[in-house]
Amino acid sequence: MKFMKKALAATMALTLTLSLAACGGQKTAETNDTPDAETRTEYKVGIIQLMDHASLNQIADNIESRLDELGEELGVTFNYADYYQNGQGDSTLLNQIAADMVANEVDIIVPIATPSAMAAQAATEDNQIPIVFAAISDPVSAKLVDSMDAPGTNITGTSDELNTDAIMDLMFAVNPDCDYVGLLYNVSEDSSTVPIADAKAYLDAKGVKYIEKTGTTTDEILLAAQSLVSEGVDAVFTPTDNTVMNAELTIYETLAEAGIPHYCGADSFALNGAFCAYGVDYANLGRETADMIADILVNGADPAATPVKTFDNGLATVNTETCASLGLDLEEVKAAIEPLCTRVDEITTAQEFE
């Protein structure tokens, strides 16, 4: 399915408008022009994914598989296959995708990650198509919702809000002598703004020196990582930053070979080579997002009054290969962090989750 998605996304980047227009010929099964929810047998679900990387792909896959399950249970079809689009990290393309989904009269838009959600929000200002976003770190600061408990408009969804202090606690449990921390992120990503501020406050309170290095492309992130190596930092922290996540397979060996552990805000970073990740379970987040989609489409739940769903942080993921490269003992690492987590998973380096 992932291969098909990527192939489709590449094609749609060139012929998006024509392809969606063709999809527009597929009508939702209805008994009249304005059916009640009970008369519907098919719902058009427009999924907008920001870009390809392991976490976002995992979320999309779990939304889709859960919608398939719910469709069988409820006797309806959630048609996402004809309306899935990937913005390839391009804001112009994201805006075009969102506009075309509105023109194509999808029943609901499901943007994955903050830039996708902001594009969907802008495109639905006049028509109020329901939006259920996935994995938005701070939907209030991004001005997607009025509050977490009462979104207020046509938008609600799931949040992967990060407990930055907990990651810092893990870092110092494993590296108690750490006195110089690198903060690696994309300064333009909303998902990084609050966690980086929280990390600075934590380190300031602890009296630990830190340095920031940023980038907006994979090449820039690689240069930033190399600069952190030259700086001689003891550890590196990255929140749920999509730009760094997209570059992790490129940078993890640079950091590991220098003996610098990389602590991150999602398990996909560890999958792609980072030493340790901590945060929410993205597979579960995807499934819970699908439940919200079904509740709005089939049961008529109001997005404006549906609280944004948050999740307990607590899943720590350690890359065993990188752990060995750093010269750390896996059992000692696990013993140090287990009291601070609800679960510790082990993983080896790969591009995608199986």
Side-chain angles (χ1 to χ4, degrees):
M1 178 180 288
K2 291 172 183 150
F3 173 79
M4 293 176 66
K5 283 184 184 176
K6 293 177 182 178
L8 176 61
T11 302
M12 296 308 293
L14 298 173
T15 61
L16 180 64
T17 303
L18 290 175
S19 296
L20 281 175
C23 290
Q26 299 180 17
K27 298 295 184 181
T28 300
E30 303 171 349
T31 58
N32 54 55
D33 291 336
T34 56
D36 293 332
E38 290 79 8
T39 67
R40 302 291 295 273
T41 61
E42 180 178 309
Y43 297 92
K44 296 186 287 188
V45 179
I47 297 176
I48 307 177
Q49 185 167 324
L50 173 62
M51 63 174 67
D52 277 313
H53 71 56
S55 281
L56 301 186
N57 293 342
Q58 185 183 34
I59 293 167
D61 288 344
N62 279 275
I63 290 173
E64 293 172 359
S65 62
R66 178 59 176 160
L67 286 177
D68 289 343
E69 292 174 6
L70 291 169
E72 290 186 12
E73 293 173 12
L74 299 170
V76 299
T77 298
F78 296 105
N79 182 1
Y80 55 80
D82 291 330
Y83 305 100
Y84 167 90
Q85 298 296 329
N86 190 315
Q88 303 298 335
D90 184 326
S91 60
T92 300
L93 182 55
L94 286 171
N95 290 332
Q96 182 64 55
I97 289 170
D100 284 342
M101 284 189 174
V102 171
N104 204 39
E105 298 182 340
V106 297
D107 294 303
I108 198 164
I109 299 177
V110 185
I112 303 175
T114 303
S116 302
M118 295 175 74
Q121 179 188 46
T124 61
E125 284 180 344
D126 297 329
N127 53 70
Q128 296 293 291
I129 292 173
I131 295 172
V132 175
F133 55 70
I136 308 301
S137 298
D138 192 348
V140 176
S141 293
K143 298 182 179 179
L144 293 169
V145 298
D146 294 339
S147 72
M148 299 292 276
D149 291 330
T153 59
N154 61 317
I155 306 175
T156 188
T158 57
S159 173
D160 61 345
E161 182 179 13
L162 191 63
N163 185 338
T164 304
D165 285 2
I167 301 180
M168 294 289 116
D169 288 344
L170 293 185
M171 178 187 294
F172 286 96
V174 178
N175 306 99
D177 297 327
C178 177
D179 59 13
Y180 193 16
V181 175
L183 305 176
L184 178 63
Y185 65 104
N186 179 351
V187 71
S188 65
E189 283 209 20
D190 289 333
S191 61
S192 293
T193 303
V194 172
I196 289 297
D198 290 344
K200 292 177 182 178
Y202 180 104
L203 294 170
D204 284 338
K206 202 173 182 66
V208 173
K209 179 182 176 184
Y210 56 84
I211 185 171
E212 299 173 70
K213 294 294 180 180
T214 66
T216 60
T217 66
T218 293
D219 287 343
E220 289 178 0
I221 293 297
L222 175 58
L223 290 174
Q226 292 169 339
S227 179
L228 290 174
V229 171
S230 298
E231 276 288 328
V233 298
D234 299 311
V236 172
F237 165 67
T238 295
T240 52
D241 188 290
N242 290 299
T243 305
V244 180
M245 174 62 243
N246 205 39
E248 189 65 38
L249 282 167
T250 304
I251 67 172
Y252 82 93
E253 290 179 319
T254 298
L255 296 175
E257 288 171 2
I260 301 171
H262 192 188
Y263 294 85
C264 308
D267 56 357
S268 53
F269 285 90
L271 175 74
N272 284 179
F275 165 59
C276 183
Y278 178 88
V280 307
D281 181 338
Y282 280 98
N284 181 55
L285 181 146
R287 292 175 65 82
E288 294 284 352
T289 303
D291 287 346
M292 297 179 76
I293 293 166
D295 194 32
I296 289 169
L297 290 178
V298 180
N299 299 328
D302 181 7
T306 301
V308 175
K309 187 169 183 59
T310 58
F311 303 86
D312 290 337
N313 285 227
L315 172 63
T317 307
V318 177
N319 186 303
T320 57
E321 295 169 335
T322 302
C323 183
S325 296
L326 291 167
L328 298 172
D329 181 270
L330 178 61
E331 294 308 314
E332 291 181 0
V333 168
K334 290 172 64 177
I337 66 176
E338 278 175 343
L340 305 173
C341 308
T342 57
R343 192 173 93 224
V344 178
D345 288 348
E346 299 174 20
I347 205 165
T348 55
T349 307
Q351 184 169 356
E352 297 281 355
F353 289 101
E354 293 182 359

